[in-house]
Structure formats: C-alpha cells, structure tokens
Amino acid sequence: MLRGTTALTALVLVGMGVSAPAFAQTADEQATATADQAQTPGAREAATDTDTTGQEIVVTGSMFRQAVTPSPVTVVSTENLEQRGIQTVQEGIQRLAANNGPALTNSFSANGAFAGGASAVSLRGLSSSSTLVLFDGLRAAYFPLADDATRNFVDLNTIPDDIVERVEVLRDGASSSYGADAIAGVVNIITKRSFRGVAARAEAGISEDGIAPTQRLSLTAGTGDLDNDGYNAYISGFYYRAGEVYNRDLPYPFNSSDQTGIGGPNDTINPDTWGVTNAGSNLYIRPVGSTQYSLLSGGCANGNAVSTGAPATGVVPGTICSQDNINQYGVVAPKVERFGGSAKFTAMVGDSSEAYAQFNFQQTTSSYDGTPSQIYANAPAGIYFQPFSTRSSAASYAPGSGPLTLPGTNPYNPLGVDAELVGWLPNSIERDETRSRVYRAAAGIHGTVFGDWDYRVDLTAMHTDLRRRQNGYVYIQHLLDVIADGSYNFINPSANSQSVTDYLMPENITDASSDLYQAQFSVNKAVTQLPGGDLEVGFGGSIYYEAVDAPSANSDINGPTERYFRLNAFGTEGNRTVTSAFGEINAPVLDQLTLNASGRFDHYSTGQSNFSPKLGAKFTPIEQLTVRGTWSRGYRIPSFAEANALPTTGYVTNSPNLFTDAFLAQYSTPGAVCSKDTFSSCPTYIRSGSYGSTTLASPDLKPEKSRSFTAGVVFEPFHNVAFTVDYFNIKKTNAITSLTAGDALQAYYAGQPVDPAFTITPDAPDAAFPNATPRVLYVASALVNANTIKSEGIDFGINSRVQFGDVTWVSNLDATLQLELSTTFPDGRKESYVDTLGNYNLTAGSGTFRWRGNWQNTLLVGPYSLTATANYTSGYDLSAEDQGGEAGDCSLAPSPNYTGCRVKSYFTLDLNGTVKVSDNMTFYVNVLNVFDRLPDVDPVTYGAWLYNPVQAGENIYGRRFLAGARVNF
C-alpha cells in the first residue's frame, strides 16, 4: 500500500478445510458435537453448528447444507480466538494464513494510510478489493475511504465482536454465488442466532514493558427459547480501547534514527545529515542570496545544540540542533476506542418458518499524533492547479511559489533583510483523528412452504458516517498572510496567541459516508432421487444499492494556496444499483460422487453486466477419503475510487536502484562519494527522500475478470483425526493498475525521455547542490486495464482430537504455501513477488511471504485448559521486481549492506490458561510472545521503522499479558 507519509501473523483456525466447530465449545459440548458430525470424513468443515446448540448449519458459498463442500472453507470460532488471546474478530481475520500481501491493518493508520482507522483483509495476496466480506450472507457498506484511495473494501472494525458466532472463510472464487469482489474468496461473519441468560466479560492486557495497554468490557443478555417459547430476544453492548504506542516505547533499534549500533548509518539530525529538507523541528534563517543558515531564535527549541564547524561557504549552520525524529515523533500504532450495541429478535412463524430482525450500532475512533507542523514544504498534488511550493519557484509549481521568505520588515526577522526560512515549527504537532459510526439493520424470514420448498428472504440496510478531524496542519494562504502582516512570532512560536495559532493551522473537518441497501430471496428443493441422494435445485435473486460520498479533505478548487500542506487531496463519490439472478444444482450422481454447478448474472445501473459460472465436484472412493475440486470464473467491478476519484498521491521511499551513478555523482562532495554502491554516503535529500506516486482515475475502466480452480483432499484415517491439502490457482486478467512508476523514474534519472503516459514533477533543488538535477517530487499516471495477475499456492491443515483418560488433546495445524504471486504486463514482461518485498508499492514494502502458518495444541483436564500456539512467518529477500531489480538479487538492501540480503523468518509462541471456577465463572490468562522475540531488522519496508509490520504484528511490543474473566448466568 502506498501510505500518505511513509499485523499480520498466522491465525490458528479450527481447520484448513476440515474445521472443527466443536473445538470452540466446552469439553462436554465438544464430545457431543463431534459425535454428531463425524459420520462423514471432514464433516466438521463448515457444518459448525449442531443440534445440541440449536443453531442452524450455514455453509458459505452454497445454497445447500453440506458436510463437505467442493470448495475449501475455514471456520474461525470466537472461542478459538479467545484461546489465542486475540481480542477482536478483525485481528483474528488479519491473522489468517491465507491473508497475504496488501492487507490493511489498524497499525497502518499511524503511518499515513489513506483509509486511516480501518482494517481490511487480502486473501491470496490479491488485495482488499478482491475479497468479499459479508454479514450473515449479506453485503455490507464499503468504508467511505478507499485503500490507497483506489480500492473500496469493508472495514473489519465494524464487526460486532460479542454477538459473532463464527467466521466462515471461503478460500475460493465465489462470484457465482455472491457477484463482484469475490475473486480471491469470501469472509462471512455469522452472528448468534439466539442467546439466553446473561454473559459478561472484563479483560485487560499490557506488555511486559508497560506499553500497548488494552481493555475490553462486554455484556449480553437474552431471553426466550425458540423451541419452547417460540421466540428469542437478546441485546449486547461492548467497549474496547487500545492505547497509542510510540517508537520511543520500543527497544533498540526500533526506537531510534541512529542505526550505528547495528552497523548502519546515523540518520538523526546531526552535522552530517542536516539539510534544508531535514532541519528538524527548529527554524533556521539566512539572508536571501547568501549561503549559510543560522538558528532563527539563537537556540534550540527541540534537541541539543551541536557545533558543526561548517564553513560559511556552505548551507550547514555553524550550530544545529541534533534530534532523533524517530524517537521523538515516531508512532507505531494509533489509539483506538470502540463501543457499540446490538439487538436481535427471532420468532417462529407457524410450524415451519422463522423470522428475525437485527440492529447494530458501532463507533470507532482512531487517533495519533504525527510529525511537527511544516511550513517549508511542497503542497500535495492538486486537482485543478499545480501544487504550491515554499521551497522552489520552478515552473512545475503554481505561480507565486518560491523559497519561504521573511521580509526584512517582518518584526520577527532579526536580520533586517529579506531572509529565507527552513525547518518545522518547534511547538506544533500534526494530529489525525478518524471517527466512524456504523448503523446496520437486517430482517428476514426463512423456512419451508408447500411441503418441501425451502425459502429465504432477507433485507439489510447499512450506513457509515465518517468524520476526519485534522489539527496542526498549516494552511498555505494563512501562512503567506501571517508572514506578510507580521502577526506570527516565528522566533518564539509558543508566544503566539491561540487565535493566531488557530489562524495559521485551522482545524480541518471532513465528513464522508457510505450506504448499502439490499433485498435478496432464494428457494431450493430436492426435485428427485439420484443414486447418491437428493438432486437439489435452488435459485434466487438480489437487488442492492451502494454509494460512497467522500469529498476531498484538501481541495484546491479555490486556488493553489487555499488549502493545507501535507493533506492529500483524494476523494470520490458514486452510486449504483445492481440486480442479480443466481442458481445452483447439487447432484449426488453416485454414493461416491457429487457434482455441483452454480451461476450468477449481475447487471449494473452503470452499464456493465457479467455472468459468473462455477463447477465443483467431490469424490469419496472410501469413507476416509474425499477428493474435491472447483473451477470458476469471477469478476470485480471497478471501484468508485478507480472510476471517479480525484487525483491521489501516495509516497514511496526512494531506493538506490531508481538512480544511476551519473545522477548520484552530482551529489558527491570531496569527503563523500555518492553512488549506488555508497548510497549511505549520499546526502539526506537523496538517501531519505521519497516520491509521490499520483494515480489518476479513469471512468472508462472495464471489470477485472478471473479464472480460478482448486483441487484438494480431505483424509480422515481415524475418528477425529483429519488431514487436508488444497491447491489454489487464480488468474486475474484485465487487472486495473497504474503503470509501473519505476520505469518512468529510471528514465528520468538516466536523462532519457519519459514515457508520455507519465507526468514527472521535479522537486525543489537541494540548497546544498543547487545546480544538480533535482529528485522527483511526483510521478503521475492514469489507471488502466492492462495486467494479468496470478496467485498460486497450497493450503495445509491437520486437525486431531485424542482422549487419554481424563485428558483431551486437541491439535490444529494451519499453513499456506504461496507458490506464486506475479504480474504479467502487456509487453510480456513478468514481475514475481513471492519471497521478496514486492509488490513494493502495493504492500508498503511489506512484501509477499512464501510461508505463513501456526500450530495450536490444547490440553483439557476437567475445569482446566492450557493452549500453546506456535506462529510462523517466513523471511524474504530485500528485493522487489517492481522496483527495478530481480527477485533474490538483494537490490533493495542498503549500501553498504549492514543487514544482509534476507530478513529472517519469524517464530513466536503464545500460551493461554483457563480455569472454570464454577458453572458460571471462568478466568483466563494469556502470555503472548512468550519468548519475547522481536522481528529481524528490515531497513527497507516503509510501513514501519526497521521492521516489517505485517510479519511482526503486535509482537513488536515484546512479551504481553492478557487476563480476564467471563461470567454466564
């Protein structure tokens, strides 16, 4: 993912294709449920609710209830998440082994994510827009902001945790059942059908070092027995909070810009790294036309004064303020506060039907403090005008741009002559807060009519209100105003009145919203008897309306200076109505062979139509073995953002491979040669720079198309011991993409003509090298249908449950091997990403892992249980083919290379202990990351500082403890 300025580990599931719901129940319930479900090999898969609990069986991806489906389905129970110490369902989904590549986690909010405050899953590494998220089989409203401002998705933070029964994850294409977006798979959130009694939970956690505190409270109460009373009603409410975490809270080297302790460069602000774009949060000044800067206030508002000994012929001041910006300002994770409530009423209607009505409300607030306010800056890419700059007057900037200058008459200019000003404001911090309010209602009825016709009718409505509140960002015109009228004290900014400060940095509030309304019906019937069982036929229809209204938070419609520095201009709006018809046939042609066929036709009010077919089969030659497979075609409609968005800019850290030695030689000094081999000796302007990758929407985009097939086996040699292996192969054509920016950048830096499909905007020159060709500020291109993306791999699962006298041992292994994730371009060129940091731009440099997996083992003895979970994520090479290198060539490693060419694999162990002290009360304690292992250093990824946030997840906090109590009456 591109981030505005700059945790995925493996999840223990109840199975990889044979998911045992009983593991999520008590010991007695487990024994009963397993006995009921074990008549068929793999029967525990997807058939997660049994008659003992009064729950219906819900099978995601089919209209029919089946013990083993042709498609692989993983079931994640909430009880299983509790055993892991996973506090929210969204975190559990993020830890799916099948989740890979450009997923969006809450931690990315603190690194400038476009969709700050949200969380999204990316099955098979195909991005969040190719994974469909459902609530009880129905669509949900998109998060109003798009990931990277292009990909619409459903925010996992909207999941009402305490009424979730389980999550069913269909690891297969499912457009034939659900329509658009289900190319990589489906995540279906199943809520509780009914609840009786009172249940409450209190829970708190913190790391061993006293950071990353969390608290959770919940209460659920219900009454009525559906079987005896004919109704059930329950209500539920919860509160959750997670504290903000800063880099200074972490151990070295993740808490400092100084990497010398691990053999790397010292990137603090010091005499060797000081530059006009790297001056820190102090202001420096020099007379217009002169060379050397000096401290405006004569001292350091932040950091420590250090004498540089620099000659007056250079730009470096004689005295600078040394600072460690990572330690002082770096943010690891935002503060998150979430609360909400749910209510559901279910009633029997006659003898054969059941009706329900449900309402959910949830509010999530995510906030963090960022970097100091900036006045010496380039505005983000504009919509109507070229960006304004207070660094350069180059023709690529808006008229009036030029170096930030205090007039000689300004009362806070001690030089008495026109003077140039650089640096960040010393006493002001940029702060971002995202607050979303989600309202969802659903109602429906299902049952049997005319003797043997099963029917279902569902209605749902969902609305999201999103408010972004941003403080500490400098409004450009107001900056020019206070400089002209002398009303702002730049020498001592803390002496300014609140009204003057607010004028320079007015609060920016932007409201956005999204909506989803859907009506859906289906009927199915056993029409005849085949040798293997009933021939079932089903069909149905759906109509839904979806809309997004997300205006720009920083438009330049009123002029290039009537906006803020640093805030991206992205935004989008759109709406459409989709009508659909679907059908499915399930034919057990033999006792050993069942064939399945399904299809769906969708028509969009925007003019597109698509038919999605799917074929599946399962073959059971012997009772212990089932062989299964599917073939399907799917599609993804262009998102509102891809078709209608305003120009969008994300920032990518420069890598040595982008440059040529000839270009870098311009930035050499007598004491430091700047080249690709000596990149760490290049000035900060080059070495720590980034470029803005600007994406332009296109209303003429066509839908992406996909072809998917799976093949697998379910082997159950003994009762309650099952093995699964499933192969997947997905090819997406007409993939919507921006052109590879690396090609344009390399042409620019080589002095060659740039492809006219790109627009290059150079940055302001480095004041220390005013005659050198400047670095790139922005590279822009439009979205196109161009590429073919392939994802291929194998899922593995082992489930067992063995009784040894009074001791029960439950074991679950879950792993995914990613064999290929690649992009093929129209000219035949192919980029491969597995085991590297590619797709670099799409994943924020977090890459594509070859292996992700976990192994959970639980011992049950009377009222006690002990669970140990081992988590594994493979390492990777510091290379990325979309950054100009070859997979495995170490081309992104720092120069000189102080970390090696590979980031090591990462292994952690979690423990959970539970004791049921009475029939009504349970206590539990989790020790997460028992061995206090930290991830290997990654000096390349830009989603976090020196570590991969996807590989490490919350284990970057070290050993953590979580304790709580549950009561039930």
Side-chain angles (χ1 to χ4, degrees), residues 220-487:
T220 303
T223 184
D225 184 287
L226 278 170
D227 294 329
N228 297 322
D229 303 324
Y231 78 94
N232 178 264
Y234 68 81
I235 59 174
S236 180
F238 78 96
Y239 173 83
Y240 171 81
R241 182 185 183 278
E244 190 171 11
V245 180
Y246 299 89
N247 281 90
R248 58 179 173 268
D249 299 325
L250 304 181
Y252 186 80
F254 309 112
N255 62 0
S256 176
S257 304
D258 184 358
Q259 304 169 55
T260 55
I262 55 174
N266 182 357
D267 283 331
T268 62
I269 295 174
N270 61 66
D272 294 327
T273 61
W274 191 96
V276 294
T277 60
N278 191 49
S281 50
N282 293 278
L283 295 175
Y284 297 81
I285 196 171
R286 72 176 180 183
V288 172
S290 68
T291 305
Q292 190 173 41
Y293 285 89
S294 60
L295 281 162
L296 173 62
S297 66
C300 294
N302 292 289
N304 301 311
V306 175
S307 176
T308 67
T313 54
V315 299
V316 177
T319 299
I320 67 164
C321 304
S322 66
Q323 285 183 263
D324 188 333
N325 285 336
I326 289 295
N327 187 272
Q328 191 168 354
Y329 304 115
V331 181
V332 176
K335 174 185 176 182
V336 177
E337 190 171 41
R338 188 179 304 132
F339 64 88
S342 301
K344 186 173 185 179
F345 178 79
T346 307
M348 301 301 298
V349 180
D351 295 330
S352 59
S353 294
E354 180 178 304
Y356 74 94
Q358 183 177 12
F359 176 78
N360 311 105
F361 166 78
Q362 188 159 297
Q363 175 172 307
T364 300
T365 302
S366 175
S367 60
Y368 67 95
D369 295 330
T371 56
S373 305
Q374 298 189 23
I375 57 175
Y376 181 73
N378 300 310
I383 303 167
Y384 305 99
F385 300 93
Q386 287 291 93
F388 190 87
S389 175
T390 54
R391 294 182 180 179
S392 171
S393 59
S396 54
Y397 299 105
S401 296
L404 186 62
T405 302
L406 282 181
T409 56
N410 188 292
Y412 302 108
N413 180 349
L415 302 182
V417 296
D418 291 355
E420 295 177 3
L421 191 65
V422 299
W424 296 339
L425 292 181
N427 67 326
S428 178
I429 297 293
E430 296 170 348
R431 177 176 173 79
D432 291 76
E433 179 185 283
T434 302
R435 187 217 66 199
S436 68
R437 289 175 176 166
V438 178
Y439 309 83
R440 181 180 182 271
I445 185 170
H446 62 90
T448 304
V449 294
F450 308 124
D452 56 358
W453 282 88
D454 292 333
Y455 74 95
R456 186 173 192 99
V457 178
D458 293 285
L459 307 171
T460 189
M462 186 171 175
H463 175 78
T464 301
D465 279 328
L466 183 73
R467 168 162 288 188
R468 286 175 286 168
R469 188 185 302 271
Q470 292 152 322
N471 293 276
Y473 289 87
V474 172
Y475 196 82
I476 299 171
Q477 184 58 54
H478 293 188
L479 172 64
L480 302 180
D481 292 344
V482 299
I483 288 176
D485 63 23
S487 59

Side-chain angles (χ1 to χ4, degrees), residues 746-785:
Q746 288 176 330
Y748 171 86
Y749 289 124
Q752 299 173 351
V754 176
D755 188 325
F758 294 91
T759 300
I760 294 284
T761 302
D763 202 347
D766 186 351
F769 301 89
N771 298 318
T773 303
R775 67 189 181 187
V776 170
L777 177 62
Y778 302 117
V779 53
S781 64
L783 292 169
V784 294
N785 292 102

Side-chain angles (χ1 to χ4, degrees), residues 20-110:
F23 298 160
Q25 303 167 359
T26 65
D28 291 339
E29 290 173 329
Q30 287 172 337
T32 304
T34 303
D36 290 342
Q37 297 174 15
Q39 293 136 359
T40 307
R44 294 185 298 264
E45 179 189 61
T48 62
D49 293 316
T50 72
D51 293 338
T52 61
T53 65
Q55 300 286 326
E56 65 176 344
I57 296 173
V58 178
V59 177
T60 301
S62 175
M63 298 177 67
F64 312 115
R65 300 171 180 176
Q66 303 175 67
V68 178
T69 63
S71 295
V73 178
T74 295
V75 177
V76 185
S77 68
T78 53
E79 290 85 353
N80 181 260
L81 298 182
E82 290 168 356
Q83 288 181 337
R84 287 286 317 278
I86 295 174
Q87 294 178 283
T88 64
V89 175
Q90 77 83 20
E91 183 186 350
I93 294 172
Q94 289 288 1
R95 297 191 182 197
L96 287 166
N99 187 30
N100 206 338
L104 175 66
T105 66
N106 285 329
S107 64
F108 275 123
S109 296

Side-chain angles (χ1 to χ4, degrees), residues 606-911:
T606 48
Q608 302 97 331
S609 297
N610 193 80
F611 177 72
S612 305
K614 184 173 185 176
L615 300 175
K618 56 182 181 181
F619 177 57
T620 309
I622 58 175
E623 183 180 0
Q624 292 80 16
L625 179 67
T626 297
V627 181
R628 61 187 178 187
T630 64
W631 172 92
S632 65
R633 291 196 178 275
Y635 76 106
R636 184 181 75 83
I637 203 75
S639 70
F640 293 124
E642 290 166 331
N644 306 319
L646 301 171
T648 301
T649 302
Y651 292 87
V652 183
T653 304
N654 289 331
S655 62
N657 243 29
L658 293 177
F659 304 101
T660 65
D661 283 333
F663 174 85
L664 294 176
Q666 302 174 93
Y667 292 91
S668 295
T669 64
V673 175
C674 179
S675 69
K676 294 169 69 172
D677 289 337
T678 59
F679 196 67
S680 61
S681 298
C682 295
T684 304
Y685 175 85
I686 294 294
R687 177 165 46 83
S688 299
S690 62
Y691 65 89
S693 180
T694 300
T695 301
L696 308 175
S698 174
D700 299 322
L701 292 170
K702 299 176 181 179
E704 297 180 338
K705 298 297 182 73
S706 70
R707 183 274 302 145
S708 175
F709 64 83
T710 65
V713 295
V714 180
F715 180 50
E716 193 171 7
F718 312 107
H719 181 63
N720 287 339
V721 176
F723 302 84
T724 61
V725 178
D726 286 287
Y727 168 80
F728 64 88
N729 185 305
I730 305 170
K731 183 169 74 172
K732 185 162 64 170
T733 56
N734 250 6
I736 298 171
T737 182
S738 55
L739 302 176
T740 302
D743 297 338
L745 294 168
Q746 288 176 330
Y748 171 86
Y749 289 124
Q752 299 173 351
V754 176
D755 188 325
F758 294 91
T759 300
I760 294 284
T761 302
D763 202 347
D766 186 351
F769 301 89
N771 298 318
T773 303
R775 67 189 181 187
V776 170
L777 177 62
Y778 302 117
V779 53
S781 64
L783 292 169
V784 294
N785 292 102
N787 302 338
T788 297
I789 299 175
K790 182 180 179 182
S791 179
E792 178 187 19
I794 304 174
D795 295 328
F796 301 90
I798 302 175
N799 291 338
S800 67
R801 180 183 180 84
V802 182
Q803 194 85 24
F804 299 99
D806 295 333
V807 179
T808 301
W809 172 38
V810 180
S811 184
N812 300 279
L813 175 70
D814 169 28
T816 294
L817 168 63
Q818 189 81 34
L819 296 173
E820 180 176 352
L821 184 65
S822 64
T823 299
T824 302
F825 298 90
D827 61 2
R829 181 170 57 90
K830 182 177 180 180
E831 293 176 354
S832 297
Y833 308 129
V834 175
D835 200 43
T836 74
L837 286 170
N839 184 324
Y840 189 78
N841 291 358
L842 201 62
T843 65
S846 58
T848 303
F849 305 107
R850 186 177 299 280
W851 278 101
R852 301 191 72 189
N854 62 79
W855 185 22
Q856 179 183 7
N857 289 275
T858 300
L859 295 177
L860 304 167
V861 184
Y864 305 100
S865 72
L866 178 65
T867 300
T869 304
N871 310 288
Y872 176 82
T873 304
S874 62
Y876 49 88
D877 187 83
L878 293 178
S879 60
E881 293 197 347
D882 59 315
Q883 294 297 298
E886 297 291 333
D889 69 358
C890 197
S891 56
L892 295 182
S895 180
N897 188 347
Y898 61 93
T899 61
C901 288
R902 289 190 63 83
V903 172
K904 297 176 183 177
S905 60
Y906 191 44
F907 169 85
T908 61
L909 181 70
D910 302 327
L911 292 178

Side-chain angles (χ1 to χ4, degrees), residues 133-219:
V133 176
L134 305 172
F135 285 79
D136 290 319
L138 299 173
R139 284 184 171 261
Y142 291 130
F143 189 70
L145 306 181
D147 186 21
D148 283 351
T150 57
R151 295 183 296 278
N152 291 129
F153 64 92
V154 174
D155 180 16
L156 300 179
N157 288 322
T158 62
I159 298 171
D161 294 326
D162 284 278
I163 66 166
V164 172
E165 181 70 28
R166 65 189 182 277
V167 179
E168 296 182 351
V169 182
L170 177 66
R171 308 188 315 275
D172 189 12
S175 289
S176 67
S177 297
Y178 302 110
D181 304 336
I183 286 178
V186 176
V187 175
N188 191 10
I189 313 300
I190 308 296
T191 60
K192 297 180 188 296
R193 179 188 177 216
S194 63
F195 182 85
R196 286 190 300 158
V198 176
R201 175 205 309 267
E203 179 180 280
I206 197 166
S207 80
E208 186 174 63
D209 295 327
I211 64 172
T214 60
Q215 300 89 37
R216 180 182 179 186
L217 298 170
S218 66
L219 177 66

